[in-house]
Amino acid sequence: MGTLNLLKGSWEGKVGETVGSKWKNKNTIRTYTKPSNPDTAAQQTVRGVFKDMTQFVALFSDQMKYLNSLDTRGQSVRNAIIQLNKSQISAGTFTKSTLQVNRGGLPNVTGFSLGTLAIGNSLTATFTAPAATNISDDAVIVVAVIDQENLIAAVSSAALSAETITVSVPCTASATLDVYYWVIDYRGSSRVGSRSGYVTGTVPSA
């Protein structure tokens, strides 16, 4: 309910189709606008995608804290990844195969291939290192392995020149693994990297 002050010629709150309020210590009047519905179907979809992406990225983002080339100034690695993939959120579709978990101008590895998956405690992958003059001998490959159903994730790195990497992660029977890989190199105390790539695999049931 609005309050009318006849002496000052002003009011506060809603009076009829107008709203009175203070702005910079001055009395102002504006036309009342009915608030929009904050819970439309489209907004529910966006919130759902944001929730799904956040829960997935939270499984591994802390482990890649020093193995990324994202802009994390003033934010966590998880938030930087979510910001990098804001187009998925606005589109209302979370797709793990196109999720980017790292960015940069370096070339990524090619021919990335998971070894024969088996129930156990590790996963091995092979790849071909890029032949680029802007990559130093200190460069590494980083691999993130995620078993979302069982809430298991591991991030490991290895020398890029080795063209193989083993990630210590419990491989649960029948689990579907989401695997991201990217290159990280160093320029003094700074990190540079490549866009991440993605493959998936399923562990046999026995």
Side-chain angles (χ1 to χ4, degrees), residues 32-40 43:
Y32 173 73
T33 302
K34 186 178 180 180
S36 60
N37 180 9
D39 198 27
T40 63
Q43 289 168 325

Side-chain angles (χ1 to χ4, degrees), residues 48-120:
V49 171
F50 179 81
K51 178 182 177 181
D52 292 344
M53 184 184 295
T54 299
Q55 290 177 340
F56 179 71
V57 172
L59 291 173
F60 61 93
S61 55
D62 285 348
Q63 298 182 55
M64 54 181 284
K65 184 174 182 180
Y66 300 107
L67 294 169
N68 72 86
S69 55
L70 301 169
D71 183 1
T72 57
R73 290 172 294 183
Q75 64 180 337
S76 64
V77 175
R78 183 188 66 179
N79 288 346
I81 293 174
I82 292 170
Q83 184 179 38
L84 181 61
N85 294 276
K86 60 184 179 182
S87 60
Q88 285 200 21
I89 296 174
S90 57
T93 304
F94 172 42
T95 307
K96 290 187 282 187
S97 61
T98 57
L99 184 78
Q100 287 293 306
V101 301
N102 197 70
R103 68 185 304 176
L106 293 181
N108 202 352
V109 303
T110 57
F112 187 92
S113 176
L114 299 177
T116 302
L117 296 178
I119 301 170

Side-chain angles (χ1 to χ4, degrees), residues 125-180:
T126 58
F127 56 89
T128 300
T133 57
N134 60 339
I135 296 180
S136 75
D137 294 338
D138 296 325
V140 298
I141 184 172
V142 184
V143 174
V145 180
I146 303 99
D147 174 359
Q148 185 178 16
E149 182 178 357
N150 295 293
L151 303 180
I152 296 170
V155 178
S156 294
S157 64
L160 187 63
S161 57
E163 298 193 325
T164 185
I165 183 172
T166 298
V167 183
S168 297
V169 57
C171 293
T172 306
S174 303
T176 298
L177 304 179
D178 298 292
V179 182
Y180 298 88

